[in-house]
Amino acid sequence: MKFFIDTANLDQIKEAQELGILDGVTTNPSLMAKEGIKGTEAILQHYKNICEIVDGDISAEVLSVDFEGMVREGEELAALHENIVVKIPMVKDGIKALKYFSDKGIKTNCTLIFSPGQALLAAKAGATYVSPFLGRLDDISVDSLKLIEDIRLIFDNYMFETEILAASIRNPMHIINCAKIGADVITSPLASILALLAHPLTDNGLATFVADAKKLA
Ligand code: E4P
């Protein structure tokens, strides 16, 4: 299972990278705006900065929603670095753009996936990744894990190479459940990744070991 960090914050990306378990990064326009990045030059430079920190797939989202715009932006993004994955929204023109980039050997991540049918279409178009959003489905009382199960079944039935990139992760249980189902990748805020570390019995046990270690000196 691959671990991506879902942020455009360079400090958090560095912190996750230093853990040694990071396989990639996902960003979106909201995450970029949160970092105060403004203008094309600044956006492109930010992606270059991320690529210098992490040697893995870096999803960079197009801002256009029409085919020509997605192709123009996607080509510019892909030219930045070999690890850039062009992130494309699940709309009709997005499907065409996925096919276009797939035919050119450029990696893609189809974002805003909320149904098995959307995932199937993206896989048919040759997407490298599909990003089903867990947290946003849970927010409206829809079982997000069922969606991951359904996509897993469909992709396995037909041996699609498209990877399931579980997104909109809100807590460590999302990560555990995705691992149980067999999502290929999770993209998570740093806090949920770090929450996997925590257990009170570990803390108590370590405190005892540290205290007893002093007796051995
Ligand atoms: C990642 O690719 C998605 O854009 C992101 O996980 C969405 O997360 P959110 O629902 O917490 O905004």
Side-chain angles (χ1 to χ4, degrees), residues 6 26-28 87 109 111 131 133 136 167-170 187:
D6 193 27
T26 54
T27 61
N28 63 36
K87 197 171 175 191
N109 172 2
T111 189
S131 287
F133 279 32
R136 294 192 197 187
S168 189
I169 296 277
R170 300 274 168 83
T187 188

Side-chain angles (χ1 to χ4, degrees), residues 88-126:
I88 295 188
M90 168 39 72
V91 290
K92 202 167 164 189
D93 276 15
I95 296 295
K96 294 183 202 170
L98 289 171
K99 181 76 173 81
Y100 173 88
F101 286 118
S102 167
D103 287 347
K104 291 191 83 175
I106 292 173
K107 287 187 180 182
T108 53
N109 172 2
C110 185
T111 189
L112 292 166
I113 297 278
F114 292 97
S115 77
Q118 292 177 327
L120 176 57
L121 266 181
K124 281 289 291 175

